[in-house]
Amino acid sequence: MSLSRRTFTALTGAAAASLALPAGAEAAAGSSPSGAAVPLAAVAPGTAHTVAFDRYSLIIDGRRVPIWSGEMHPFRLPSPSLWRDILQKLAASGYNAVSIYANWSYHSPAPGSYDFTGVRDLGRFLDMAAETGLYVIVRPGPYINGETDAGGYPGWLTSSAAKARTSDPVYLRYADEWLTAVDKVIAPRQYTRGGGTVVLYQLENEYASYVTSATGADYMAHLYARVRADGIDVPLFHNDKGRNGYWVPGSFDTGGETGRYLYAFDGYASGNPPDWGYFGIGGDKGGSTASPDTPGFLAEFGGGWFDAWGGAGFNGQGYAGAWAARDPAYERRFYLTNLANGIKIHNVYMTFGGSSWGWLPAPVVYTSYDFGAAIDETRHLTAKVTPMKQIGSLLASFPDLAVLDRAADTSASSTSVRVYHLTDPERGSHVYLLRNDTTHDAVCTLPVDTAAGTLTVPAVAGGLKVAAKDGKLLATDLSLGRRALLYSTAQPMWRASGADKDLAVFTGRPGDPVEVVLLSQDAPTVNVTDGEADAVYDEAAGTLRLNAVLDGLTVVRIDGGGQAAPLVVLLADDDAAAALWPRDTDAGSVLVSGPALVRTVRITGRSVHLTGDTTAATGLQVWSAGPLSAVEWNGQDIAVTATRSGGLAARNPLRGPGAVSLPVLTGWRYAAENPEADPAFDDSAWRACDLTTSHSRTAVPDGQPAVLFADDYGFHYGDVWYRAEIADASGAQDLALTYQTGTLGLLMAWWDGRPLGTHRMPVPAKAEVTTGTWSATAAFTVPQDLRGSGPHTLAVLVRRMGHDEDGGANDAFKAARGLTAATLDGAPLNWRIQGASGYDAVRGPLNNGGLYGEREGWHLPGFPDRAWSPVTLPHTDTRQGVAWYRTAFTLAVDSGTDASIGLTFTDDPARAYRVQIFLNGWNVGQYANDVGPQHTFVLPNGILRTRGGNTLALAVLSDGSGPAGPALPALTLLGAAAGGTPVEDVASPGYRPGGTQG
């Protein structure tokens, strides 16, 4: 290899120095927008900023910022203290942005009523994101989908005349009302206003209807004008459902505004990674090529997938199966392919899924919304975080990657390896993505373009290893600060430059042979301070070659070679990278190794102040690009020793979490429910079913004297009761009850208090339930001995489950729930109806349904249950209907330990019963013993008092077909860490005499 003096000088001199400028310096020097982004922590609050874009990327405050975003939903974690926990984990894991839905139904219990307080404080969430240093993509609807009840539409909209997702004026009036309310929270927190970090705003989600008619164009134009009138001035976008080219710029009226709207799309790919950009088919169906003048924008790319009742999607494995289907290798192969295809705004859905607690879930999902995400439902970082951190850190610290064009095609020596070649037209760097779609490992060589010409890498024997169903990224001609990288067969992860030294991290799979070649005008001094590596200096070529086999963390310090400051190179396999935490601050860059998590980094003088978590006793090493002599961990000074590589190492291990002791749940009390089945029950205060017309998508059946649909009478969530009185049943025989529910709904009936039986909707038998409405007729025979002159009482309980979503913009969410028709010997009946009563102002409209115990506050802390019968679990109850079990327990988790605790049910699946789980009054989920697959329910801290008393109430619904539960549920430790974030109590309020809740 021969390198001219001119080329050498260009790479190691002015060009490399420009790339190595500290964050913020290039902007002052008037450089191009390709400079590294300014850390958000360095931005003064209250200062106005600019958000623009070109065909490559967002341009924020004049410099390029590839967006590496993770999706989370505040409403799926109803404990605001824990929002900060997840946001800090996102920031530490390489993300520079968070994407969120705002759920209309969560904030609006009634028309004109909008609540952004308590657990619904969206402004607080946005403020936390800004404090954490994350940009925000907001997606407030009006329609969100998201496997939520009615796709996010409020229950009250189901009974309105509004034709949703159209230009219907009734719908637009309601949508405007919602948008103005939520925009009042968002607008002042836009980055452009200086009050927050919101940089992108979604107008609609997966709107694939009316795309060729005025209805759709008028609707989109109306939304655009609405949010602009509300003060939203950041760029807007729509998320195309798939790759259709729907709603690209210019497809609807934007009031004359240009250059402020982007096209985005989503995809949940499996098999082999698709090319949705530079290497794809092109045109409207080609993903980002549908809008060539805006940056490639994946508003949702699969970070996992949801699971349905019964678990057919993942063979009963639940979200462990979802995780395995989209594992770390999947992420590398698919997400790097997206990067190769020019995707510069990349959002992973979900990165933290959380829980669809209460009546939040759409029919397609059960309580857990773990999604197989990188951060699991227990808030723990899984192995999937490591590739995300590697890619996100790469994008943030190497500005060369902000602008990439497709370059000349090239091939590896192995036909098993596909190669993507891209180049930076401004700086001349080259990027190669190697992808192996086969089921066997491949070893190959590759020709790469460098400043020294085309080279075949690696230079030494051994080859490039690309694991089966995996991928890796190679790069050439990158700056590492004062030195330049000619090429590396290990993936660059992070680099930093400061007054004291330069730092660079390269990563790969354990056991991978790697080669890193640096330019060096003179022979440097090389010290391998940790691990093993060979260093060879080639005087003729002016290069230093490092060769190693990745095994944990290898650290190499390079001094001299014509440079006054050293370069510390860290070669980390995936296991070591999982414990590496690179952080850029306004006062310099820091790299930390050892802890399970580094939450925050602050530099004052020569001291670095770290906060974070440990899951076991662990070592700590810190490297800084600037001078550093002292370390603080979670507020405590740490005794450190200077290392040979120029870092600091703790003399003693950091402590792990304390032991967590969980009690056995005892002291249960029992009460039978459903007095509504008793003929003597007073239903005079119930609403008479007297409506004759409905706005439901479901037609009122012929021959029915009145509408029976629950939503039309204001009962939108949970169970609903019906009662009818029959004056004379002398000839009564055949009772037909037609009802409609979401997946897994059921109906129970009683005649004069005697159970007639239970009818259940089927368990989904396919991986993805494409319909959220199930309709059936339950046929019963009136008992012979209960016929005759009356009066007689018929009582019916319907577990309605959720509303369908409205992905097809066809008002599917307005399909009826509850009874739809009822006849006795062919004659209709007259009914009264009762569902949830009142509104829990703290827990929100989705917390409660219409069970008697819910209406009377049996689920609430402080309810006087001393008159209930003591009972020991497991308990067998063969009656049809509802029974309640209550107990109290106290936890005493060490204040410095963040313990994630769940409730686990283990029982014979032949026992048919359901359980609504109420913790301190919060409906944290629904368990179906004979259906599954979920058996453990996360109890979020804040709702759960980890240092104090708790009340657990179980509403058990049994069909009477045989022995039913519940078995003894067990508190389960799902993980613990020393550290965490301070947690506020959101468990209150409790029961008040004379009323159900405070």
Side-chain angles (χ1 to χ4, degrees):
M1 177 180 68
S2 176
L3 190 66
S4 72
R5 177 64 57 183
R6 180 178 179 181
T7 301
F8 183 90
T9 302
L11 280 173
T12 60
S18 173
L19 288 174
L21 285 172
E26 286 191 26
S31 69
S32 78
S34 292
V38 179
L40 278 175
V43 175
T47 304
H49 304 279
T50 60
V51 182
F53 58 85
D54 64 7
R55 69 187 182 94
Y56 287 112
S57 70
L58 281 190
I59 301 173
I60 299 177
D61 288 335
R63 56 181 64 236
R64 297 196 182 281
V65 180
I67 295 295
W68 193 247
S69 172
E71 185 92 8
M72 71 168 291
H73 299 152
F75 55 83
R76 282 191 159 111
L77 184 58
S79 180
S81 305
L82 299 184
W83 297 342
R84 188 180 301 277
D85 175 63
I86 299 300
L87 290 168
Q88 289 181 343
K89 286 171 177 172
L90 288 173
S93 300
Y95 294 91
N96 65 354
V98 60
S99 173
I100 63 166
Y101 280 141
N103 186 337
W104 187 354
S105 70
Y106 189 54
H107 295 277
S108 183
S113 177
Y114 297 96
D115 186 354
F116 293 94
T117 64
V119 297
R120 292 170 296 283
D121 192 342
L122 178 63
R124 183 180 181 186
F125 178 91
L126 296 176
D127 293 342
M128 284 183 180
E131 292 162 7
T132 307
L134 292 169
Y135 295 114
V136 183
I137 302 170
V138 292
R139 308 204 289 157
Y143 179 75
I144 64 171
N145 208 68
E147 291 72 63
T148 58
D149 183 272
Y153 282 140
W156 54 262
L157 194 67
T158 63
S159 57
S160 75
K163 176 67 175 174
R165 308 186 79 186
T166 72
S167 55
D168 170 57
V170 177
Y171 171 71
L172 292 181
R173 175 167 58 86
Y174 288 133
D176 285 354
E177 199 175 75
W178 157 246
L179 289 173
T180 296
V182 73
D183 289 345
K184 189 176 295 184
V185 178
I186 296 169
R189 293 172 171 87
Q190 295 176 96
Y191 192 62
T192 49
R193 300 281 189 90
T197 53
V198 174
V199 293
L200 290 168
Y201 181 110
Q202 180 175 290
L203 283 180
E204 241 280 9
N205 190 59
E206 301 180 332
Y207 186 51
S209 303
Y210 306 106
V211 292
T212 60
S213 72
T215 296
D218 289 349
Y219 173 47
M220 291 295 289
H222 180 94
L223 295 179
Y224 197 100
R226 174 73 270 152
V227 301
R228 287 296 190 225
D230 288 340
I232 303 299
D233 56 26
V234 297
L236 308 177
F237 69 96
H238 165 262
N239 174 34
D240 192 2
K241 185 178 183 179
R243 288 123 332 265
N244 305 296
Y246 295 159
W247 311 118
V248 295
S251 60
F252 61 91
D253 182 18
T254 56
E257 184 178 61
T258 59
R260 302 295 293 161
Y261 173 79
L262 301 92
Y263 169 75
F265 61 99
D266 64 20
Y268 293 85
S270 57
N272 292 327
D275 290 317
W276 290 336
Y278 292 163
F279 294 85
I281 60 174
D284 289 347
K285 302 294 185 181
S288 64
T289 60
S291 180
D293 295 327
T294 62
F297 188 172
L298 260 170
E300 297 179 21
F301 192 83
W305 191 244
F306 61 81
D307 196 21
W309 285 104
F314 299 102
N315 299 315
Q317 299 175 67
Y319 284 112
W323 194 98
R326 289 174 169 84
D327 63 4
Y330 170 97
E331 292 181 315
R332 287 187 292 268
R333 202 161 55 107
F334 280 73
Y335 301 164
L336 289 174
T337 297
N338 292 340
L339 179 62
N341 275 277
I343 305 302
K344 294 298 177 53
I345 307 175
H346 189 285
N347 182 52
V348 176
Y349 187 108
M350 301 291 295
T351 297
F352 170 74
S355 304
S356 294
W357 56 279
W359 296 105
L360 175 64
V364 293
V365 291
Y366 44 88
T367 297
S368 177
Y369 199 67
D370 177 280
F371 218 77
I375 303 176
D376 67 22
E377 189 182 4
T378 69
R379 298 180 290 111
H380 294 133
L381 305 181
T382 73
K384 290 176 64 170
V385 162
T386 301
M388 303 306 296
K389 180 167 54 175
Q390 291 166 335
I391 298 171
S393 299
L394 168 75
L395 293 173
S397 60
F398 287 91
D400 312 60
L401 304 183
V403 178
L404 289 174
D405 288 328
R406 182 172 179 174
D409 289 345
T410 188
S411 299
S413 62
S414 169
T415 57
S416 298
V417 177
R418 179 177 178 180
V419 181
Y420 294 80
H421 180 200
L422 300 106
T423 188
D424 176 354
E426 296 180 356
R427 302 183 184 274
S429 305
H430 290 263
V431 171
Y432 299 84
L433 167 63
L434 279 61
R435 203 180 85 197
N436 181 359
D437 294 333
T438 73
T439 56
H440 57 269
D441 295 348
V443 178
C444 65
T445 58
L446 179 72
V448 298
D449 291 335
T450 74
T454 300
L455 307 175
T456 298
V457 300
V460 298
L464 294 164
K465 180 181 176 182
V466 187
K469 297 290 184 180
D470 210 332
K472 63 170 54 182
L473 182 146
L474 279 60
T476 72
D477 300 339
L478 295 178
S479 166
L480 299 183
R482 296 167 180 84
R483 289 171 170 81
L485 173 76
L486 189 63
Y487 69 83
S488 170
T489 64
Q491 181 170 307
M493 174 175 168
W494 181 75
R495 63 111 224 187
S497 184
D500 196 53
K501 66 178 72 69
D502 297 329
L503 302 168
V505 180
F506 298 86
T507 65
R509 313 294 80 75
D512 276 4
V514 297
E515 187 168 277
V516 177
V517 177
L518 309 172
L519 300 181
S520 186
Q521 186 171 1
D522 300 313
T525 300
V526 180
N527 285 292
V528 181
T529 63
D530 296 273
E532 296 182 359
D534 294 325
V536 177
Y537 179 68
D538 186 330
E539 183 177 3
T543 60
L544 172 69
R545 188 181 73 242
L546 303 177
N547 285 99
V549 174
L550 293 183
D551 181 14
L553 187 63
T554 300
V555 183
V556 181
R557 178 176 172 133
I558 303 166
D559 289 273
Q563 298 294 339
L567 168 67
V568 179
V569 175
L570 296 95
L571 307 175
D573 68 13
D574 292 333
D575 296 331
L580 276 182
W581 306 101
R583 300 303 291 266
D584 298 310
T585 78
D586 57 332
S589 298
V590 172
L591 179 66
V592 183
S593 174
L597 173 68
V598 173
R599 293 182 178 274
T600 64
V601 176
R602 182 171 57 89
I603 299 174
T604 59
R606 297 173 69 91
S607 299
V608 62
H609 309 268
L610 308 173
T611 67
D613 297 359
T614 57
T615 55
T618 185
L620 173 72
Q621 288 195 74
V622 181
W623 295 267
S624 172
L628 198 66
S629 59
V631 178
E632 181 186 88
W633 175 258
N634 287 342
Q636 300 294 317
D637 291 333
I638 300 296
V640 293
T641 300
T643 66
R644 291 194 301 139
S645 63
L648 297 174
R651 295 177 186 173
N652 301 301
L654 303 178
R655 288 181 296 181
V660 177
S661 178
L662 300 178
V664 176
L665 297 174
T666 59
W668 292 93
R669 292 186 173 272
Y670 166 89
E673 210 228 64
N674 45 278
E676 299 93 338
D678 192 318
F681 181 81
D682 182 6
D683 63 11
S684 60
W686 288 18
R687 172 67 193 272
C689 294
D690 54 7
L691 298 175
T692 57
T693 61
S694 173
H695 295 298
S696 172
R697 188 187 184 204
T698 303
V700 179
D702 293 339
Q704 292 297 306
V707 175
L708 301 180
F709 312 156
D711 285 300
D712 287 83
Y713 296 99
F715 304 123
H716 306 302
Y717 305 111
D719 299 295
V720 63
W721 277 95
Y722 296 85
R723 280 171 57 95
E725 186 172 288
I726 297 92
D728 187 358
S730 298
Q733 182 169 333
D734 297 321
L735 175 65
L737 301 173
T738 301
Y739 72 114
Q740 200 158 277
T741 73
T743 309
L744 224 65
L746 59 77
L747 174 149
M748 294 179 173
W750 292 260
W751 182 280
D752 288 344
R754 182 184 298 178
L756 295 179
T758 297
H759 185 281
R760 306 191 337 168
M761 298 298 183
V763 177
K766 56 182 177 178
E768 181 182 351
V769 180
T770 56
T771 176
T773 292
W774 302 76
S775 185
T777 297
F780 301 104
T781 300
V782 178
Q784 181 70 40
D785 62 323
L786 295 182
R787 302 174 188 176
S789 59
H792 298 276
T793 301
L794 173 61
V796 176
L797 173 65
V798 179
R799 174 143 294 180
R800 37 180 292 137
M801 306 301 281
H803 297 93
D804 195 5
E805 297 169 288
D806 196 32
N810 55 8
D811 276 355
F813 75 104
K814 297 172 77 172
R817 292 294 185 261
L819 284 179
T820 57
T823 60
L824 180 61
D825 295 323
L829 300 168
N830 294 312
W831 296 89
R832 289 183 177 272
I833 185 172
Q834 176 66 57
S837 61
Y839 160 56
D840 189 326
V842 171
R843 301 174 183 92
L846 296 161
N847 194 68
N848 295 112
L851 295 180
Y852 179 85
E854 291 177 283
R855 305 197 306 268
E856 294 298 313
W858 292 9
H859 62 298
L860 294 171
F863 177 79
D865 60 9
R866 300 305 300 172
W868 289 20
S869 302
V871 68
T872 300
L873 299 187
H875 182 251
T876 297
D877 194 344
T878 58
R879 61 188 294 276
Q880 173 180 290
V882 185
W884 285 73
Y885 301 79
R886 283 174 57 98
T887 192
F889 62 94
T890 300
L891 298 177
V893 177
D894 180 80
S895 59
T897 296
D898 178 9
S900 182
I901 296 169
L903 188 71
T904 299
F905 293 84
T906 305
D907 202 357
D908 181 351
R911 293 162 66 94
Y913 63 90
R914 316 263 183 98
V915 183
Q916 284 189 75
I917 307 162
F918 291 93
L919 175 67
N920 294 324
W922 289 83
N923 183 351
V924 296
Q926 183 178 178
Y927 170 65
N929 182 68
D930 55 329
V931 176
Q934 185 175 5
H935 290 268
T936 296
F937 295 79
V938 175
L939 308 177
N941 295 347
I943 291 174
L944 177 71
R945 296 186 182 99
T946 58
R947 292 181 61 80
N950 298 275
T951 300
L952 182 63
L954 308 179
V956 180
L957 183 64
S958 306
D959 65 11
S961 62
L968 176 64
L971 295 173
T972 308
L973 182 63
L974 304 176
T981 55
V983 177
E984 301 167 7
D985 183 5
V986 294
S988 296
Y991 177 83
R992 289 181 180 174
T996 59
Q997 62 199 34

